[in-house]
Amino acid sequence: MNIALIAHDHKKDDMVALAKEFAGFLATCQLVATGTTGGRLQMEAGLDVECMLSGPMGGDLQIGARLAVGQVDAVVFLRDPMTPQPHEPDINALVRACDVHDIPCATNVAGARLLLAALSRR
């Protein structure tokens, strides 16, 4: 299973906690993440993660491109709805690509827990 993990700055601690909670399952997956998030997941959760560029530098688009060609099976994108993002069009494009290609996408911790729990039972 190929899972993309992305988190805005104020959600990175939540992503690390989530990754630790589901570390057993995530360790069996191919993980891809935007730059800083991926680095933190490697260092703090001990996961093997392929790191793309940071989101503002094009990492969201890199993940979206993989998604469009069938290389991503699920996305956890912990978004910060309270902070404006300079790369909002890229974020919207990634979420839209999930909708277009029927890829499950969780954008908050509660949804991510449900998604990862369901995937881990497959």
Side-chain angles (χ1 to χ4, degrees):
M1 174 136 321
N2 299 303
I3 300 178
L5 303 170
I6 307 160
H8 286 153
D9 288 345
H10 290 120
K11 299 294 182 175
K12 290 189 190 317
D13 290 341
D14 291 338
M15 179 63 83
V16 169
L18 188 68
K20 288 179 179 179
E21 181 179 342
F22 288 93
F25 167 64
L26 291 173
T28 69
C29 300
Q30 297 292 314
L31 303 176
V32 62
T34 47
T36 307
T37 300
R40 287 198 55 189
L41 293 171
Q42 289 172 334
M43 296 295 295
E44 298 174 46
L47 294 170
D48 183 21
V49 181
E50 181 181 0
C51 295
M52 300 286 104
L53 296 171
S54 69
M57 299 303 291
D60 299 329
L61 293 174
Q62 288 179 304
I63 291 173
R66 287 187 177 198
L67 187 149
V69 296
Q71 296 177 352
V72 174
D73 301 307
V75 175
V76 174
F77 191 164
L78 299 185
R79 298 171 61 180
D80 178 2
M82 304 308 287
T83 304
Q85 302 295 325
H87 61 296
E88 193 70 35
D90 297 351
I91 295 163
N92 292 337
L94 177 58
V95 173
R96 181 177 179 276
C98 290
D99 292 342
V100 168
H101 296 281
D102 203 25
I103 299 298
C105 178
T107 60
N108 60 52
V109 174
R113 279 196 179 103
L114 289 171
L115 175 59
L116 293 174
L119 292 174
S120 69
R121 290 190 298 267
R122 293 181 82 201

